[in-house]
Amino acid sequence: MSAHRRKTSHPVRRPRRPRRPRRGRRGRRIARTLLVTACALAVMAAAGAWYAYRDLAGSIGSSKALQGAEKSRYGDTNILLMGLDSRRDQNGEKLPEEVLDALHAGSSDIGGYNANTLILLHVPGDGSRATAFSVPRDDYVELAGGLGKDKIKKAYGLAKAKEEERLSARGVKDRRQLEREGREAGRTAQIETVRNFLGVPVDHFAELNLAGFHHLADALGGVPVCLKKPVRDTYSGADFPAGRQTLNGRQSLAFVRQRHGLDMGDLDRTKRQQAFLAGATQKLNSAGTFTDPVKLMKLIDAAKQDVVTDEGWDLMSFVKQAKNLSGGKVAFTTLPVERFGRNHGEDINVVDDMKIKRLIAEQIGPGASAAASAPSPGASPGEAPGASPGPGGAAPAPAASGSPAIDGGGIPCVD
């Protein structure tokens, strides 16, 4: 009986280890899935950014106007921003009437190719605060290319017309070729004129036509600005209340174009341009444009329509750099005018070339060109030859202005 029991008795079982909760395994699987997904998204984002960059680099207008030009030293970068008062596209075609109506800019036949906005943006190589120098468009200076003395804004248009006449005399009849090569001559003359006037190298440039302000503001979803008082101007279409506000494309163009009704006219308009630039760079950063593919593509599409830059400029690097220029991190200065005058029936700004060169050299440091130590060929300080005082005699002009009052969030508040 006992043997039978021993034979049929079951072996003693060891107690089993408790199973690990399924939640741990499931958590690891989820973590792995998320990690793989994140890596895939990162690769896709990198690929998308690269595609966007290649698309921009291959489609944006490029120019050889800076080929062989002197460069800044010590890692500094000088960028010339040129805004053309042109009602035509990059091929010289008239803008559509509906676009002109939206711009409140009048006929395609007016405006010409004057560089009404000239801002030299100096970005120090050591990462310190950038400085933007606004050049008033009516400064009476020596124009490059043997064009004589005239308003600085005219260098582009006069050189363009001169080159087109030269090509036409040689038998060139293709309208687009004339436009393309004429504009290259205009850019070259305008950049060289600014370079000689300021006494510093120009490393890169960006040219924006009149519609560009409109498209840029819309691509950014509006640009924040601040006004000290309400304004209403039928010429530009500016009609804004006082205080901080966000302007759409049409309003932005009216904002940067207004000069009627402002105490200092064109000189106050340069402050509007500075304020627009400050607001746009802040919006670039705060709106997540650099990390939002949809917003980035809208910005790229706007650039392809309206922007021309120098060939070989790494725009992606500048886009990253532009993030550091927002939030009041740029000091804005309007270059000084000695007085106002008249020349051949036109209002001009009489300037002191050497005074301006010294001011620039003092503010941007050792990266300045040696040109600051000597006057540019044909330039003379003081009153322009043949110039006469404006109505009421010599009118005093303001010295270089510092940054306008800041409205808390880094937006300049202007008149």
Side-chain angles (χ1 to χ4, degrees):
M1 188 71 172
S2 60
H4 178 71
R5 286 195 190 103
R6 283 197 301 270
K7 200 182 251 190
T8 60
S9 62
H10 297 287
V12 178
R13 296 181 179 178
R14 295 179 180 177
R16 294 181 180 179
R17 294 180 180 177
R19 293 184 179 180
R20 293 180 180 177
R22 292 180 177 273
R23 287 179 298 176
R25 296 178 183 175
R26 187 180 298 114
R28 287 198 301 274
R29 286 198 298 270
I30 293 173
R32 283 197 298 270
T33 302
L34 290 175
L35 180 60
V36 171
T37 303
C39 290
L41 289 174
V43 171
M44 291 171 64
W50 174 244
Y51 171 79
Y53 171 68
R54 290 292 300 272
D55 182 49
L56 176 62
S59 304
I60 198 170
S62 65
S63 165
K64 297 182 179 180
L66 280 176
Q67 257 188 3
E70 178 191 5
K71 298 296 183 182
S72 296
R73 294 172 284 167
Y74 309 111
D76 292 357
T77 304
N78 292 331
I79 302 166
L80 180 62
L81 307 176
M82 299 192 300
L84 296 186
D85 191 28
S86 172
R87 279 75 166 165
R88 295 175 180 267
D89 65 17
Q90 293 184 28
N91 296 315
E93 304 291 344
K94 295 181 178 180
L95 295 174
E97 289 301 321
E98 60 270 20
V99 174
L100 290 173
D101 289 343
L103 298 180
H104 200 86
S107 168
S108 293
D109 297 321
I110 62 176
Y113 288 88
N114 288 332
N116 278 351
T117 302
L118 291 169
I119 299 176
L120 184 79
L121 178 63
H122 174 73
V123 184
D126 62 5
S128 58
R129 195 181 196 193
T131 307
F133 300 95
S134 287
V135 184
R137 65 175 188 164
D138 289 340
D139 284 3
Y140 190 76
V141 304
E142 187 74 27
L143 306 185
L147 297 172
K149 294 201 75 170
D150 212 323
K151 297 180 181 182
I152 195 168
K153 69 178 183 180
K154 290 187 176 183
Y156 193 114
L158 292 176
K160 177 180 183 294
K162 182 178 178 180
E163 178 65 8
E164 289 176 357
E165 289 175 8
R166 187 186 71 82
L167 292 172
S168 295
R170 291 174 50 191
V172 176
K173 296 181 179 179
D174 184 87
R175 186 166 49 84
R176 289 206 169 188
Q177 181 183 351
L178 291 171
E179 180 73 16
R180 183 175 62 252
E181 296 191 29
R183 285 202 177 194
E184 277 291 85
R187 292 172 190 126
T188 301
Q190 191 67 66
I191 293 168
E192 187 176 346
T193 298
V194 172
R195 184 169 57 224
N196 292 340
F197 179 48
L198 302 185
V200 296
V202 174
D203 302 289
H204 299 295
F205 82 91
E207 171 190 307
L208 192 69
N209 66 16
L210 199 61
F213 289 98
H214 182 281
H215 295 145
L216 174 62
D218 279 346
L220 289 173
V223 172
V225 301
C226 176
L227 284 168
K228 295 178 182 177
K229 56 188 178 183
V231 295
R232 184 178 178 86
D233 172 38
T234 56
Y235 293 94
S236 65
D239 186 2
F240 310 119
R244 183 166 174 162
Q245 54 209 287
T246 298
L247 307 184
N248 62 26
R250 181 172 185 167
Q251 293 170 327
S252 293
L253 184 62
F255 177 80
V256 298
R257 290 183 65 233
Q258 184 186 0
R259 61 189 175 95
H260 296 281
L262 302 179
D263 292 341
M264 297 302 296
D266 269 345
L267 297 183
D268 277 341
R269 179 157 70 169
T270 64
K271 295 180 182 178
R272 295 289 190 88
Q273 296 163 359
Q274 294 167 0
F276 178 86
L277 180 60
T281 51
Q282 189 191 67
K283 189 64 179 287
L284 277 171
N285 196 14
S286 63
T289 305
F290 300 101
T291 55
D292 187 324
V294 175
K295 291 180 180 178
L296 186 59
M297 289 308 298
K298 285 183 68 176
L299 189 62
I300 288 172
D301 286 340
K304 288 190 292 187
Q305 290 183 73
D306 309 304
V307 178
V308 175
T309 68
D310 55 288
E311 191 176 62
W313 187 9
D314 186 352
L315 286 177
M316 188 59 73
S317 293
F318 178 68
V319 163
K320 293 176 182 176
Q321 196 175 39
K323 293 176 69 175
N324 300 322
L325 301 179
S326 62
K329 295 178 183 176
V330 180
F332 289 99
T333 297
T334 301
L335 294 179
V337 172
E338 297 304 303
R339 68 178 188 83
F340 304 118
R342 301 276 292 176
N343 184 62
H344 300 301
E346 292 186 330
D347 294 326
I348 62 169
N349 301 330
V350 180
V351 294
D352 184 333
D353 298 44
M354 289 310 301
K355 179 178 179 180
I356 288 174
K357 285 180 173 65
R358 286 193 299 269
L359 182 150
I360 296 286
E362 288 167 2
Q363 293 204 30
I364 72 174
S369 167
S373 63
S376 56
S380 59
E383 186 170 335
S388 61
S401 65
S403 300
I406 300 297
D407 176 41
I411 300 299
C413 207
V414 295
D415 290 326

